[in-house]
Amino acid sequence: MNATPRSMGRSRAIVALILGYFVVLAYATIANDPLAATVAELGFGVIAITVGAMLYEQATDPRSALAAAAGCLVAGGVLTFAAVLTRMATIDLLSSLFVFLGVGCYVYALWRAN
């Protein structure tokens, strides 16, 4: 995989999002701040959708494990937004399951590539 300035910029942006997520999550946990917890949840959804979109761009076959990972991450991110809006535990659980499945598919795609 060739690193282009565009892909490096995206990678840095995702790393910044992830670091920001952990900072807000730590603050929400320490301060017991519900607004910060909501912002962290929304940040998690944004990260899942962003990573899923990047993986989809890299997928060469729409039926590959990489494309499945992308779809699961995007679905998990969208369901995270729905869980924040509705505060339904079932939707929150589904979003977590989709994100875990997406990460699992990504690990499987990496394993198969090597």
Side-chain angles (χ1 to χ4, degrees):
M1 183 168 111
N2 295 332
T4 64
R6 184 176 174 191
S7 68
M8 292 297 294
R10 284 183 182 178
S11 296
R12 286 187 183 120
I14 288 177
V15 168
L17 281 171
I18 292 170
L19 290 175
Y21 164 74
F22 281 116
V23 167
V24 173
L25 182 63
Y27 170 76
T29 303
I30 293 168
N32 198 22
D33 185 346
L35 178 61
T38 300
V39 169
E41 290 178 48
L42 293 173
F44 183 80
V46 168
I47 292 167
I49 292 170
T50 303
V51 171
M54 281 185 56
L55 290 179
Y56 188 76
E57 286 180 351
Q58 294 176 3
T60 56
D61 178 12
R63 293 175 36 168
S64 68
L66 198 58
C72 288
L73 287 171
V74 170
V78 170
L79 285 170
T80 298
F81 290 126
V84 168
L85 291 174
T86 64
R87 290 292 171 202
M88 291 180 63
T90 306
I91 296 175
D92 192 35
L93 176 65
L94 271 177
S95 74
S96 296
L97 289 175
F98 270 104
V99 169
F100 284 128
L101 183 61
V103 171
C105 287
Y106 179 69
V107 169
Y108 178 74
L110 289 178
W111 178 68
R112 293 250 336 192
N114 292 324

